[in-house]
Amino acid sequence: MARNQNAAEALTGAAQDAVLHPGRSADPAPVSQKEVSANAGNSAVGTAEVDNNQPDAESIDSVEATGDAGPVRAESRQRTLRLMLRQCDRVLLMDFDLLAMNDWPDNFSVAAARRSRDLWMFSAIVAATIFLSGLTGFVPAWIAGGGFGAFIIILLLGIPAVRRIYTSAPSYLDLLIKRQRMMRDARKHAEHLEGKEGLIWQCARMADFNPALKNARFSSLLHLSEQKSLPRALSRREHVRLYLIYLLEAENAYGRAQAAFFEGNQEAIDKGWEKAAAEPEDRT
């Protein structure tokens, strides 16, 4: 009994005094080929996901450039429209009735007045001839006296104050004076519109809003306007009417350009582009 107890104590002490020294690691468990392939696939997928999650520097730069180009392009367009509107705003001062010259004496009225003038002059010459013939003795004195009286009456009928008593038709001289006055007023108004820098050649920049401004028949007017000599060249009614047609087309283009400007301004305000959303400058 004692021997068994001593043996148990000896075993217990030996177990307590025993120390495990590190040695060769245990052999790993055998891994199948399928598990190796699966692990490799998972590693590749993880690497691809990490690469995809990283932002591309070139993509960021292109997006930022596109975002910056929007306000810059809008600001440039608004500045161009504002300049065009400012250069062509005098087209709004156009007096249509003055340039249209609706009261212009037509050719038929002028021709009729010229015939009346010729008849009056012929009658006066005949009466004067009869009177002078009586002085030389070719005709009797009473005929010469009648010719003199007729000559005086014909002259009186040609006086404007007397003429208005028996007819309301304007004389040939009145029609010519009226034409000259209307042309003078039209040239003065064109000079006011053109100013010192010229008007319609600057309005030609709005041709994108009205292609009619590119018509070849306006080329001479544009050239004269650029040379600041257009008002002096308006010597006929046809020239003034052509000038009026161009002003009407320019006014139409001005309205479209103004609408585009306000539309772009509102769009810039909605998108928060403060530099592009600028009001037209006040003229001083």
Side-chain angles (χ1 to χ4, degrees):
M1 187 71 179
R3 185 181 298 176
N4 293 335
Q5 186 176 359
N6 292 332
E9 291 177 357
L11 291 175
T12 303
Q16 292 177 355
D17 295 336
V19 178
L20 294 177
H21 297 282
R24 186 175 62 86
S25 59
D27 294 334
V31 181
S32 63
Q33 187 68 22
K34 293 182 179 180
E35 293 179 355
V36 173
S37 301
N39 292 333
N42 293 333
S43 299
V45 172
T47 304
E49 291 178 353
V50 172
D51 293 339
N52 291 332
N53 291 332
Q54 293 180 353
D56 189 1
E58 295 181 357
S59 300
I60 294 176
D61 294 340
S62 62
V63 171
E64 291 179 354
T66 304
D68 294 339
V72 173
R73 188 181 299 109
E75 183 181 1
S76 176
R77 184 173 184 271
Q78 290 297 100
R79 187 184 301 110
T80 302
L81 289 175
R82 185 164 55 249
L83 179 61
M84 287 193 299
L85 294 176
R86 184 171 184 177
Q87 289 178 340
C88 196
D89 59 355
R90 295 182 68 86
V91 74
L92 301 178
L93 302 177
M94 174 190 61
D95 190 341
F96 177 82
D97 295 332
L98 187 59
L99 295 178
M101 295 187 289
N102 294 324
D103 296 334
W104 180 267
D106 55 9
N107 294 332
F108 178 79
S109 300
V110 174
R114 184 168 56 247
R115 285 195 300 269
S116 299
R117 190 275 315 267
D118 294 341
L119 180 61
W120 174 80
M121 292 183 64
F122 178 75
S123 301
I125 292 174
V126 170
T129 301
I130 294 174
F131 171 70
L132 294 177
S133 298
L135 294 178
T136 58
F138 285 101
V139 295
W142 65 272
I143 296 178
F148 178 76
F151 177 74
I152 297 299
I153 293 174
I154 292 173
L155 288 181
L156 291 175
L157 293 178
I159 298 176
V162 178
R163 178 183 175 84
R164 296 190 187 96
I165 297 175
Y166 65 91
T167 181
S168 60
S171 64
Y172 180 71
L173 182 61
D174 294 337
L175 295 179
L176 292 182
I177 293 175
K178 185 176 182 179
R179 279 187 170 185
Q180 293 177 359
R181 177 177 53 81
M182 295 181 70
M183 282 298 305
R184 183 175 62 253
D185 294 341
R187 282 196 296 266
K188 186 180 298 184
H189 184 58
E191 184 178 2
H192 172 68
L193 293 177
E194 290 293 314
K196 297 180 180 180
E197 301 297 331
L199 174 63
I200 62 173
W201 75 274
Q202 298 187 81
C203 295
R205 299 181 59 186
M206 298 190 299
D208 293 338
F209 296 96
N210 189 359
L213 297 178
K214 299 180 181 179
N215 198 307
R217 62 175 177 169
F218 300 128
S219 58
S220 58
L221 291 179
L222 296 176
H223 181 67
L224 292 172
S225 177
E226 188 174 3
Q227 292 182 343
K228 305 175 183 60
S229 59
L230 178 60
R232 295 190 300 271
L234 299 177
S235 58
R236 302 178 59 183
R237 187 194 182 196
E238 291 78 8
H239 302 159
V240 178
R241 296 296 293 271
L242 185 62
Y243 181 68
L244 174 61
I245 292 173
Y246 190 91
L247 289 178
L248 293 175
E249 298 293 349
E251 186 179 19
N252 188 9
Y254 184 91
R256 296 177 183 177
Q258 190 178 44
F261 174 80
F262 287 127
E263 182 179 354
N265 193 48
Q266 184 62 40
E267 182 180 359
I269 293 175
D270 295 339
K271 293 184 178 180
W273 299 338
E274 297 181 357
K275 293 184 178 180
E279 296 293 337
E281 299 178 359
D282 296 334
R283 295 180 63 90
T284 56

